[in-house]
Amino acid sequence: MKHLFVGGVAAALLLALPGVALAEDLEFVLTNSSSYAVKAFFTSPADIDTWEEDVFGENYLPAGNYVSITIGDGREQCVYDMKFILEDDSEFIEKGIDLCELGEYTLSNAQ
C-alpha cells in the first residue's frame, strides 16, 4: 500500500508542476510511390550526425503502399533526416524534413 501511495503522489506532483513539458510522439504517414520496395528506413534528428536504428526492423514497405510511422524518441523535434535503402540496395537520403508541418512524406522515383 505504501508504494502505491508514493507512486500516486509522484504522479500528482508531475501533473501539478507548471512548465513541465512532456515530449510527444511524432507521427506521420510514409507513402512509397516509387517502383521499388523500401527494405530499410532510418531517421535521425537533423542536428545529429548518426542514424537511429532501422524503423522497419525485419519488415519492408512494398512499392505502392503506405504505413503510419511513429517516432517515439522522447525528443521535442520536428526536423528529421531520412535514409531509405531500396530493394536494389540503392540509398536515398532526404535531409531537413519538417515532419510536424507535413504530417506525411511520399517517396517517388522522381527523387
Side-chain angles (χ1 to χ4, degrees):
M1 184 64 121
K2 183 177 181 182
H3 292 111
L4 181 61
F5 177 72
V6 171
V9 170
L13 285 174
L14 183 61
L15 292 175
L17 291 174
V20 174
L22 299 176
E24 293 185 25
D25 291 345
L26 174 61
E27 297 178 7
F28 67 100
V29 174
L30 174 61
T31 302
N32 182 6
S33 292
S34 76
S35 301
Y36 298 97
V38 178
K39 68 179 193 178
F41 173 55
F42 301 89
T43 63
S44 178
D47 58 350
I48 305 275
D49 290 333
T50 59
W51 295 107
E52 304 287 325
E53 61 187 67
D54 182 5
V55 173
F56 290 161
E58 297 294 318
N59 299 312
Y60 69 98
L61 181 59
N65 286 271
Y66 66 92
V67 65
S68 180
I69 302 286
T70 300
I71 300 174
D73 60 9
R75 296 179 177 106
E76 292 182 20
Q77 175 92 13
C78 287
V79 181
Y80 279 80
D81 296 338
M82 298 183 290
K83 177 170 125 175
F84 303 90
I85 300 179
L86 305 179
E87 65 183 309
D88 67 351
D89 290 325
S90 63
E91 292 184 6
F92 174 72
I93 295 175
E94 183 77 65
K95 293 190 173 262
I97 301 299
D98 188 336
L99 295 171
C100 294
E101 184 178 316
L102 292 178
E104 63 182 326
Y105 182 84
T106 301
L107 181 66
S108 65
N109 289 337
Q111 297 169 327

